[in-house]
Amino acid sequence: MDKAILVLNAGSSSIKFSIFVVPEAGELRAIASGQVEGLGTAPRLKARDGSGQSIAEKSWDTSEVATHAQALQRIAELLRSRFDGGMLAGVGHRVVHGGADYSAPALISEAVISRLEAFVPLAPLHQPHNLAAIRAVQEVQPDLPQVACFDTAFHRTQDTVGQLYGLPWEYYERGVRRYGFHGLSYEYIAATLPAVAPEVADGRVVVAHLGSGASMCALDHGHSVGSSMGFTALDGLMMGTRPGNIDPGIVLYLLQQEGLSAKQIEDLLYKRSGLLGLSGIGNDMRVLLASDAPRARLAIEHFVYRINRELGALAAVLGGLDALVFTAGIGENSARIRQLVCDKARWLGIELDEAANERGDARITRADSRCSVWVVPTNEELMIARHTRRLLGL
Ligand code: ADP
């Protein structure tokens, strides 16, 4: 019987899961995925099989499924009812922060957990939930091996100069440095490029991961040399509900002049800014693209402007640009956003092939374009499953 790997991605109010079958040889195969979302408000489960067909849809009262551990129990029940529980050989977790220590995934042990707990202050909105999921699995199945895969690890190839902030040196030593995030997505893209775009895979590439969180990464020979995100996932591009890079003086102003508390500023920066805050309509790019409201248009223009600014900066880090890759929800699905970005990036030698862009082809630039542009769907879950397989020797 084939073995299976469970991949978990625990957020503040949701747990996403995927299950992969490990064949004797060859690539892992996804047989189910889904999520419990609305934890704390209206918990509900949705799951699909490997071909995208719905296999479960349920909702509960908040008193029935209140915690991450209870949500995991429901996921485990579903998996047991559909698949043989005995086939599970390991669990791979997305863990947002591996600090400066981890440049690769780690097999979970008590020592690893306590090191990861030390990074909670660096990612207070994510890291506790990631660790809660690890603990919950330990409680139910203490012998099941678990692997932590970090969003920061892929960026540890960046040099010290790029990871510094211009603060007194002791802050760097205390961990205040650029970490970069979305590393599992960038690692997946870097691993996929040799097959999809062999002519640029070893070149200077910028990847734009444009989802509800958004960032960009400079790849040189497939290694991260720069990222738009820094100490936290608030930095860089404007996102669905986050402002991206802002003058830190604004935070001081909000504290000192407007009298906002730290908690209120956190809420403003994580949940009420970005596309939502600017447009006043919402954070879903599809809704904004369909809207005639002037502020929806302005929000989109600013979103694109920030991508192009960051593209220029990362091209400078790379000393030129051979290719640009779009990925994640907006990058993979919105021909309009890709077109707006590419039209403003002609100075880099980008000549868009509009028909290819509308079709969402893998390559969307003309044959004579000096810099090529690609659409590559990301797959962070598969990346986690691959790491887990490798670490567990499956
Ligand atoms: P997450 O960071 O939650 O994993 P995704 O990568 O799934 O996010 O991206 C979510 C974003 O993708 C949303 O803003 C959504 O509006 C956007 N999106 C999905 N499909 C389209 C589309 N066809 N056109 C424009 N935006 C899209």
Coordinates of all heavy atoms in Angstrom, one line a residue, residues 22-116:
V22 N 2.6 8.9 -1.8 CA 4.0 8.8 -2.1 C 4.2 7.5 -2.9 O 4.1 6.4 -2.4 CB 4.9 8.6 -0.8 CG1 6.4 8.7 -1.2 CG2 4.5 9.7 0.2
P23 N 4.4 7.6 -4.2 CA 4.6 6.4 -5.0 C 6.0 5.8 -4.8 O 6.9 6.5 -4.2 CB 4.4 6.9 -6.5 CG 4.8 8.3 -6.4 CD 4.6 8.8 -5.0
E24 N 6.2 4.6 -5.2 CA 7.5 4.0 -5.1 C 8.6 4.9 -5.7 O 9.7 5.1 -5.2 CB 7.5 2.6 -5.8 CG 6.7 1.5 -5.1 CD 7.5 0.9 -4.0 OE1 8.7 0.8 -4.1 OE2 6.9 0.5 -3.0
A25 N 8.2 5.4 -6.9 CA 9.2 6.3 -7.6 C 8.3 7.3 -8.3 O 7.2 7.1 -8.6 CB 9.9 5.5 -8.7
G26 N 8.9 8.5 -8.5 CA 8.2 9.6 -9.3 C 7.6 10.6 -8.3 O 7.7 10.5 -7.1
E27 N 6.8 11.5 -8.9 CA 6.3 12.7 -8.2 C 5.1 12.3 -7.3 O 4.4 11.4 -7.6 CB 5.9 13.7 -9.3 CG 5.4 15.0 -8.7 CD 6.4 15.8 -7.9 OE1 6.7 15.4 -6.7 OE2 6.9 16.8 -8.4
L28 N 5.0 13.0 -6.2 CA 3.9 12.9 -5.3 C 2.6 13.2 -6.0 O 2.6 14.1 -6.9 CB 4.1 13.9 -4.1 CG 5.4 13.6 -3.3 CD1 5.7 14.8 -2.5 CD2 5.1 12.5 -2.3
R29 N 1.5 12.6 -5.5 CA 0.2 12.8 -6.2 C -0.8 13.3 -5.1 O -1.0 12.6 -4.1 CB -0.2 11.5 -6.8 CG -1.4 11.6 -7.7 CD -1.5 10.3 -8.5 NE -1.3 9.1 -7.8 CZ -2.3 8.5 -7.1 NH1 -3.5 8.9 -7.1 NH2 -2.1 7.4 -6.4
A30 N -1.4 14.5 -5.4 CA -2.3 15.0 -4.4 C -3.6 14.3 -4.6 O -4.2 14.1 -5.7 CB -2.6 16.5 -4.7
I31 N -4.2 13.7 -3.5 CA -5.4 13.0 -3.6 C -6.6 13.7 -2.9 O -7.7 13.4 -3.1 CB -5.4 11.5 -3.1 CG1 -4.8 11.5 -1.7 CG2 -4.5 10.7 -4.0 CD1 -5.0 10.1 -1.0
A32 N -6.3 14.7 -2.0 CA -7.3 15.5 -1.4 C -6.7 16.8 -0.8 O -5.5 16.8 -0.5 CB -7.9 14.7 -0.3
S33 N -7.6 17.8 -0.8 CA -7.2 19.0 -0.1 C -8.4 19.8 0.3 O -9.5 19.5 -0.1 CB -6.4 19.9 -1.1 OG -7.2 20.3 -2.2
G34 N -8.2 20.7 1.2 CA -9.3 21.4 1.7 C -9.0 22.3 2.9 O -7.8 22.6 3.1
Q35 N -10.0 22.8 3.6 CA -9.7 23.7 4.7 C -10.8 23.7 5.7 O -12.0 23.5 5.3 CB -9.3 25.1 4.3 CG -10.4 25.7 3.4 CD -9.9 27.1 2.9 OE1 -8.8 27.6 3.3 NE2 -10.5 27.6 1.9
V36 N -10.5 23.9 6.9 CA -11.5 24.4 7.9 C -11.2 25.9 8.1 O -10.1 26.3 8.4 CB -11.3 23.7 9.3 CG1 -12.3 24.3 10.3 CG2 -11.6 22.2 9.1
E37 N -12.2 26.7 7.8 CA -12.1 28.1 8.0 C -13.1 28.7 8.9 O -14.0 27.9 9.3 CB -12.1 28.8 6.6 CG -13.3 28.5 5.8 CD -13.2 29.0 4.4 OE1 -12.2 29.5 3.9 OE2 -14.2 28.9 3.7
G38 N -13.0 29.9 9.2 CA -14.0 30.6 10.1 C -13.9 30.2 11.5 O -14.8 30.3 12.3
L39 N -12.7 29.7 11.9 CA -12.5 29.3 13.4 C -12.7 30.6 14.2 O -12.2 31.6 14.0 CB -11.1 28.8 13.6 CG -10.8 27.4 13.1 CD1 -9.3 27.0 13.3 CD2 -11.6 26.4 13.9
G40 N -13.6 30.4 15.2 CA -13.9 31.6 16.1 C -15.1 32.3 15.7 O -15.7 33.1 16.4
T41 N -15.5 32.2 14.4 CA -16.8 32.9 14.0 C -17.8 31.9 13.4 O -18.9 31.7 14.0 CB -16.4 33.9 12.9 OG1 -15.6 33.3 11.9 CG2 -15.7 35.1 13.5
A42 N -17.5 31.3 12.3 CA -18.5 30.3 11.7 C -17.7 29.1 11.1 O -17.4 29.1 9.9 CB -19.3 31.0 10.6
P43 N -17.2 28.2 12.0 CA -16.4 27.1 11.4 C -17.0 26.3 10.4 O -18.2 25.8 10.5 CB -16.0 26.3 12.7 CG -16.9 26.7 13.8 CD -17.5 28.0 13.4
R44 N -16.3 26.0 9.3 CA -16.8 25.2 8.2 C -15.7 24.5 7.5 O -14.6 25.0 7.5 CB -17.7 26.0 7.2 CG -16.9 27.2 6.7 CD -17.9 28.3 6.1 NE -17.1 29.4 5.6 CZ -16.7 30.4 6.4 NH1 -17.0 30.5 7.6 NH2 -16.0 31.4 5.9
L45 N -16.0 23.3 7.0 CA -15.0 22.5 6.3 C -15.4 22.3 4.8 O -16.6 22.1 4.5 CB -15.0 21.1 7.0 CG -14.2 20.0 6.2 CD1 -12.8 20.0 6.6 CD2 -14.9 18.6 6.5
K46 N -14.4 22.4 4.0 CA -14.6 22.1 2.6 C -13.4 21.3 2.1 O -12.3 21.6 2.5 CB -14.6 23.4 1.7 CG -15.9 24.1 1.7 CD -15.8 25.2 0.6 CE -17.0 26.1 0.7 NZ -16.8 27.4 0.1
A47 N -13.7 20.2 1.4 CA -12.6 19.4 0.9 C -12.9 18.9 -0.5 O -14.1 18.8 -0.9 CB -12.4 18.2 1.8
R48 N -11.8 18.7 -1.3 CA -12.0 18.3 -2.7 C -11.0 17.1 -2.9 O -10.0 16.9 -2.1 CB -11.5 19.4 -3.7 CG -12.2 20.6 -3.6 CD -11.5 21.8 -4.4 NE -10.2 22.1 -3.8 CZ -10.1 22.9 -2.7 NH1 -11.1 23.4 -2.1 NH2 -8.9 23.1 -2.2
D49 N -11.3 16.2 -3.9 CA -10.4 15.1 -4.2 C -9.4 15.7 -5.1 O -9.4 16.8 -5.5 CB -11.2 13.9 -4.7 CG -11.8 14.1 -6.0 OD1 -11.5 15.1 -6.7 OD2 -12.7 13.3 -6.4
G50 N -8.5 14.8 -5.6 CA -7.4 15.2 -6.5 C -7.8 15.8 -7.8 O -7.1 16.5 -8.4
S51 N -9.1 15.5 -8.2 CA -9.5 16.0 -9.5 C -10.4 17.3 -9.3 O -10.9 17.8 -10.2 CB -10.3 15.0 -10.2 OG -11.5 14.7 -9.5
G52 N -10.5 17.7 -8.0 CA -11.2 19.0 -7.7 C -12.6 18.8 -7.4 O -13.4 19.8 -7.2
Q53 N -13.1 17.5 -7.4 CA -14.5 17.3 -7.0 C -14.7 17.4 -5.5 O -13.9 16.9 -4.7 CB -14.9 15.8 -7.4 CG -14.9 15.5 -8.9 CD -16.0 16.2 -9.6 OE1 -17.1 16.2 -9.1 NE2 -15.7 16.9 -10.7
S54 N -15.8 18.0 -5.1 CA -16.1 18.2 -3.7 C -16.3 16.8 -3.0 O -17.0 16.0 -3.5 CB -17.3 19.1 -3.5 OG -17.7 19.1 -2.2
I55 N -15.6 16.6 -1.9 CA -15.8 15.4 -1.1 C -16.4 15.6 0.3 O -16.8 14.7 0.9 CB -14.5 14.5 -1.0 CG1 -13.4 15.3 -0.4 CG2 -14.1 13.9 -2.3 CD1 -12.2 14.5 0.0
A56 N -16.4 16.9 0.7 CA -17.0 17.2 2.0 C -17.3 18.7 2.1 O -16.6 19.5 1.6 CB -16.1 16.8 3.1
E57 N -18.5 19.0 2.7 CA -18.8 20.4 3.0 C -19.7 20.3 4.3 O -20.7 19.7 4.3 CB -19.6 21.0 1.8 CG -19.2 22.4 1.6 CD -19.7 22.9 0.2 OE1 -19.2 22.3 -0.8 OE2 -20.4 23.9 0.2
K58 N -19.2 20.9 5.3 CA -19.9 20.9 6.6 C -19.7 22.2 7.3 O -18.7 22.9 7.1 CB -19.2 19.8 7.5 CG -19.6 18.4 7.3 CD -19.0 17.5 8.3 CE -19.2 16.1 7.8 NZ -18.2 15.1 8.3
S59 N -20.6 22.5 8.2 CA -20.4 23.7 9.1 C -20.8 23.3 10.5 O -21.7 22.4 10.7 CB -21.1 24.9 8.5 OG -22.4 24.6 8.2
W60 N -20.2 24.0 11.4 CA -20.5 23.7 12.8 C -20.8 24.9 13.6 O -20.5 26.1 13.1 CB -19.3 23.0 13.5 CG -18.9 21.7 12.9 CD1 -19.4 20.5 13.1 CD2 -17.8 21.5 11.9 NE1 -18.8 19.5 12.4 CE2 -17.8 20.1 11.6 CE3 -16.9 22.3 11.3 CZ2 -16.9 19.5 10.8 CZ3 -16.0 21.8 10.5 CH2 -16.0 20.4 10.2
D61 N -21.3 24.7 14.8 CA -21.5 25.8 15.8 C -20.1 26.1 16.4 O -19.2 25.2 16.5 CB -22.4 25.3 16.9 CG -23.0 26.4 17.6 OD1 -24.0 27.0 17.1 OD2 -22.5 26.8 18.7
T62 N -19.8 27.4 16.8 CA -18.5 27.7 17.3 C -18.2 26.9 18.6 O -17.1 26.7 19.0 CB -18.4 29.2 17.7 OG1 -19.7 29.6 18.2 CG2 -18.0 30.0 16.5
S63 N -19.3 26.4 19.3 CA -19.1 25.6 20.5 C -18.6 24.2 20.2 O -17.9 23.6 21.0 CB -20.3 25.6 21.3 OG -21.3 24.9 20.6
E64 N -18.9 23.7 19.0 CA -18.5 22.4 18.6 C -17.0 22.3 18.1 O -16.3 21.4 18.4 CB -19.4 21.9 17.4 CG -20.8 21.6 17.9 CD -21.6 21.2 16.6 OE1 -21.9 22.1 15.8 OE2 -21.9 20.0 16.4
V65 N -16.6 23.3 17.3 CA -15.3 23.4 16.8 C -14.7 24.8 17.1 O -14.9 25.7 16.3 CB -15.2 23.1 15.2 CG1 -13.8 23.2 14.7 CG2 -15.9 21.7 14.9
A66 N -14.0 24.9 18.2 CA -13.6 26.2 18.7 C -12.1 26.4 18.4 O -11.6 27.5 18.1 CB -13.9 26.4 20.1
T67 N -11.3 25.3 18.6 CA -9.9 25.4 18.6 C -9.3 24.8 17.3 O -9.9 24.0 16.6 CB -9.3 24.7 19.8 OG1 -9.6 23.3 19.7 CG2 -9.8 25.3 21.1
H68 N -8.0 25.1 17.1 CA -7.3 24.5 16.1 C -7.2 22.9 16.2 O -7.3 22.2 15.3 CB -5.8 25.0 16.0 CG -5.8 26.4 15.3 ND1 -6.4 27.5 15.9 CD2 -5.2 26.8 14.2 CE1 -6.2 28.5 15.2 NE2 -5.5 28.2 14.1
A69 N -7.1 22.5 17.5 CA -7.0 21.1 17.8 C -8.3 20.4 17.4 O -8.3 19.3 16.8 CB -6.7 20.9 19.3
Q70 N -9.4 21.1 17.7 CA -10.7 20.5 17.3 C -10.9 20.4 15.8 O -11.4 19.5 15.3 CB -11.8 21.2 18.0 CG -11.9 20.9 19.5 CD -12.8 21.9 20.2 OE1 -13.0 23.0 19.8 NE2 -13.4 21.4 21.3
A71 N -10.4 21.5 15.2 CA -10.5 21.5 13.7 C -9.7 20.4 13.1 O -10.1 19.7 12.2 CB -10.0 22.9 13.2
L72 N -8.5 20.1 13.7 CA -7.6 19.1 13.2 C -8.3 17.7 13.4 O -8.2 16.8 12.5 CB -6.3 19.1 13.9 CG -5.2 19.9 13.2 CD1 -3.9 19.9 14.1 CD2 -4.9 19.2 11.9
Q73 N -9.0 17.6 14.5 CA -9.7 16.3 14.7 C -10.7 16.0 13.6 O -10.9 14.9 13.1 CB -10.4 16.3 16.1 CG -9.6 15.8 17.2 CD -10.2 16.1 18.6 OE1 -11.3 16.5 18.7 NE2 -9.4 16.0 19.6
R74 N -11.4 17.1 13.2 CA -12.4 16.9 12.2 C -11.8 16.6 10.9 O -12.3 15.8 10.1 CB -13.3 18.2 12.0 CG -14.0 18.6 13.3 CD -14.9 17.5 13.7 NE -15.4 17.7 15.1 CZ -16.7 17.8 15.4 NH1 -17.6 17.7 14.5 NH2 -17.1 18.0 16.6
I75 N -10.6 17.2 10.6 CA -9.9 16.9 9.4 C -9.5 15.4 9.4 O -9.6 14.7 8.4 CB -8.7 17.8 9.2 CG1 -9.1 19.2 8.9 CG2 -7.8 17.3 8.0 CD1 -8.0 20.3 9.0
A76 N -9.0 15.0 10.6 CA -8.5 13.6 10.8 C -9.7 12.6 10.5 O -9.5 11.6 9.9 CB -7.9 13.4 12.1
E77 N -10.8 13.0 11.1 CA -12.0 12.1 10.9 C -12.4 12.0 9.4 O -12.6 10.9 8.9 CB -13.3 12.7 11.6 CG -13.3 12.4 13.1 CD -14.2 13.4 13.8 OE1 -15.1 14.0 13.2 OE2 -14.0 13.6 15.0
L78 N -12.3 13.1 8.7 CA -12.6 13.1 7.3 C -11.6 12.2 6.5 O -12.0 11.3 5.7 CB -12.6 14.5 6.7 CG -12.6 14.5 5.2 CD1 -14.0 14.3 4.7 CD2 -12.1 15.9 4.6
L79 N -10.4 12.4 6.9 CA -9.3 11.6 6.2 C -9.5 10.1 6.5 O -9.3 9.3 5.6 CB -7.9 12.1 6.5 CG -7.7 13.6 6.1 CD1 -6.3 14.0 6.5 CD2 -7.8 13.7 4.6
R80 N -9.8 9.8 7.7 CA -9.9 8.4 8.1 C -11.1 7.7 7.4 O -11.1 6.6 6.9 CB -10.1 8.2 9.6 CG -8.8 8.0 10.3 CD -9.0 7.4 11.7 NE -9.8 8.3 12.6 CZ -9.2 9.3 13.3 NH1 -7.9 9.4 13.3 NH2 -9.9 10.1 14.1
S81 N -12.2 8.6 7.2 CA -13.4 8.0 6.5 C -13.2 7.8 5.0 O -13.8 7.0 4.4 CB -14.6 9.0 6.8 OG -14.5 10.1 6.0
R82 N -12.3 8.6 4.5 CA -12.1 8.4 3.0 C -10.9 7.6 2.7 O -10.8 6.9 1.6 CB -11.8 9.8 2.4 CG -12.8 10.8 2.6 CD -13.9 10.8 1.5 NE -13.4 10.7 0.2 CZ -14.2 10.7 -0.9 NH1 -15.5 10.8 -0.7 NH2 -13.7 10.6 -2.1
F83 N -9.8 7.6 3.5 CA -8.6 6.9 3.2 C -8.2 6.1 4.4 O -8.7 6.3 5.5 CB -7.5 7.9 2.9 CG -7.9 9.0 2.0 CD1 -8.2 10.3 2.4 CD2 -8.0 8.8 0.6 CE1 -8.6 11.3 1.6 CE2 -8.4 9.8 -0.2 CZ -8.7 11.0 0.2
D84 N -7.3 5.1 4.1 CA -6.9 4.2 5.2 C -5.9 5.0 6.1 O -4.9 5.5 5.6 CB -6.1 3.1 4.6 CG -5.5 2.1 5.6 OD1 -5.6 2.5 6.8 OD2 -5.0 1.1 5.2
G85 N -6.3 5.2 7.4 CA -5.5 6.0 8.3 C -4.0 5.5 8.4 O -3.1 6.2 8.7
G86 N -3.9 4.2 8.2 CA -2.5 3.5 8.4 C -1.5 4.0 7.4 O -0.3 3.8 7.5
M87 N -2.0 4.6 6.3 CA -1.1 4.9 5.2 C -0.3 6.2 5.5 O 0.7 6.5 4.9 CB -1.8 5.1 3.9 CG -2.8 6.3 3.8 SD -4.0 6.1 2.5 CE -3.2 6.7 1.1
L88 N -0.7 7.0 6.6 CA -0.1 8.2 6.8 C 1.3 8.0 7.4 O 1.5 7.4 8.5 CB -0.9 9.1 7.8 CG -0.6 10.5 7.9 CD1 -0.8 11.2 6.6 CD2 -1.5 11.2 9.0
A89 N 2.4 8.6 6.7 CA 3.7 8.3 7.1 C 4.4 9.5 7.7 O 5.5 9.5 8.3 CB 4.6 7.8 5.9
G90 N 3.8 10.7 7.6 CA 4.4 11.9 8.1 C 3.5 13.1 7.8 O 2.6 13.1 7.0
V91 N 3.8 14.2 8.6 CA 3.1 15.5 8.4 C 4.1 16.6 8.1 O 5.1 16.7 8.8 CB 2.3 15.8 9.7 CG1 1.5 17.1 9.4 CG2 1.4 14.7 10.1
G92 N 3.8 17.4 7.1 CA 4.6 18.5 6.8 C 3.9 19.8 7.1 O 2.7 19.9 6.7
H93 N 4.5 20.7 7.8 CA 3.8 21.9 8.2 C 4.4 23.1 7.6 O 5.7 23.2 7.5 CB 4.0 22.2 9.7 CG 3.3 21.2 10.6 ND1 2.0 21.4 11.1 CD2 3.6 19.9 11.0 CE1 1.6 20.3 11.8 NE2 2.6 19.4 11.7
R94 N 3.6 24.1 7.2 CA 4.1 25.4 6.8 C 4.3 26.1 8.1 O 3.4 26.3 8.9 CB 3.1 26.1 6.0 CG 3.6 27.5 5.6 CD 2.5 28.2 4.8 NE 3.1 29.3 4.1 CZ 2.5 29.9 3.2 NH1 1.3 29.5 2.8 NH2 3.1 30.9 2.6
V95 N 5.6 26.6 8.4 CA 5.9 27.4 9.5 C 6.4 28.7 9.0 O 7.4 28.7 8.2 CB 6.9 26.7 10.5 CG1 7.3 27.6 11.6 CG2 6.3 25.3 11.0
V96 N 5.8 29.8 9.5 CA 6.1 31.0 8.8 C 7.6 31.5 9.1 O 8.3 31.9 8.2 CB 5.1 32.1 9.1 CG1 5.2 32.6 10.6 CG2 5.2 33.3 8.2
H97 N 8.0 31.3 10.4 CA 9.3 31.8 10.7 C 10.4 30.8 11.2 O 10.1 30.1 12.2 CB 9.2 32.9 11.8 CG 9.9 34.1 11.5 ND1 11.3 34.1 11.4 CD2 9.5 35.4 11.4 CE1 11.7 35.4 11.1 NE2 10.7 36.2 11.1
G98 N 11.5 30.8 10.5 CA 12.6 29.9 10.9 C 13.7 30.8 11.4 O 14.8 30.3 11.6
G99 N 13.5 32.1 11.6 CA 14.5 33.0 12.1 C 15.8 32.9 11.2 O 15.7 32.5 10.1
A100 N 16.9 33.3 11.8 CA 18.2 33.3 11.1 C 18.7 31.9 11.1 O 19.7 31.6 10.4 CB 19.1 34.3 11.7
D101 N 18.2 31.0 12.0 CA 18.8 29.7 12.2 C 18.5 28.7 11.1 O 19.4 27.9 10.7 CB 18.2 29.0 13.5 CG 18.3 29.9 14.7 OD1 18.7 31.1 14.5 OD2 18.0 29.4 15.8
Y102 N 17.3 28.7 10.6 CA 16.9 27.6 9.7 C 17.0 28.0 8.2 O 16.2 28.9 7.7 CB 15.5 27.1 10.0 CG 15.5 26.4 11.3 CD1 15.0 27.0 12.5 CD2 15.9 25.1 11.4 CE1 15.0 26.4 13.7 CE2 15.9 24.4 12.6 CZ 15.4 25.1 13.8 OH 15.4 24.4 14.9
S103 N 17.9 27.4 7.5 CA 17.9 27.7 6.0 C 17.4 26.5 5.3 O 17.5 26.4 4.0 CB 19.4 28.0 5.6 OG 20.2 26.9 6.0
A104 N 16.8 25.5 6.0 CA 16.2 24.3 5.4 C 15.2 23.8 6.3 O 15.2 24.1 7.5 CB 17.3 23.3 5.2
P105 N 14.3 22.9 5.8 CA 13.3 22.4 6.7 C 13.9 21.5 7.8 O 15.0 21.1 7.7 CB 12.5 21.4 5.7 CG 12.7 22.0 4.4 CD 14.1 22.5 4.4
A106 N 13.1 21.3 8.9 CA 13.7 20.6 10.0 C 12.7 19.6 10.5 O 11.5 19.8 10.5 CB 13.9 21.6 11.2
L107 N 13.2 18.4 10.9 CA 12.4 17.4 11.6 C 12.1 17.9 13.0 O 12.9 18.3 13.7 CB 13.3 16.1 11.6 CG 12.6 14.8 12.1 CD1 11.5 14.4 11.1 CD2 13.6 13.7 12.2
I108 N 10.8 17.8 13.3 CA 10.3 18.3 14.6 C 10.8 17.5 15.7 O 10.6 16.2 15.7 CB 8.8 18.4 14.6 CG1 8.2 19.3 13.5 CG2 8.3 18.8 16.0 CD1 8.3 20.7 13.7
S109 N 11.3 18.2 16.7 CA 11.7 17.5 18.0 C 11.3 18.5 19.1 O 11.0 19.7 18.8 CB 13.1 17.2 18.1 OG 13.9 18.4 18.0
E110 N 11.4 18.2 20.3 CA 11.1 19.1 21.4 C 12.1 20.3 21.3 O 11.7 21.5 21.5 CB 11.2 18.5 22.8 CG 10.0 17.7 23.2 CD 8.7 18.5 23.0 OE1 8.6 19.7 23.5 OE2 7.7 18.0 22.4
A111 N 13.4 20.0 21.0 CA 14.3 21.1 20.9 C 14.0 22.0 19.8 O 14.1 23.3 19.9 CB 15.7 20.5 20.7
V112 N 13.5 21.5 18.6 CA 13.2 22.4 17.5 C 12.0 23.2 17.9 O 11.9 24.4 17.6 CB 12.9 21.5 16.2 CG1 12.2 22.3 15.2 CG2 14.2 20.9 15.7
I113 N 11.0 22.6 18.5 CA 9.8 23.4 18.9 C 10.2 24.5 19.8 O 9.7 25.7 19.6 CB 8.7 22.5 19.6 CG1 8.2 21.5 18.6 CG2 7.6 23.3 20.2 CD1 7.1 20.5 19.2
S114 N 11.1 24.3 20.8 CA 11.4 25.4 21.7 C 12.2 26.5 20.9 O 12.0 27.7 21.2 CB 12.0 24.9 23.0 OG 13.2 24.3 22.7
R115 N 13.0 26.1 19.9 CA 13.6 27.2 19.2 C 12.6 27.9 18.3 O 12.7 29.2 18.2 CB 14.7 26.5 18.2 CG 16.0 26.4 18.9 CD 16.9 25.6 18.0 NE 17.8 26.4 17.1 CZ 18.5 25.8 16.2 NH1 18.6 24.5 16.1 NH2 19.3 26.6 15.4
L116 N 11.6 27.2 17.8 CA 10.6 27.9 17.0 C 9.7 28.8 17.9 O 9.2 29.8 17.4 CB 9.7 26.9 16.2 CG 10.5 26.1 15.2 CD1 9.6 25.1 14.5 CD2 11.3 27.0 14.2

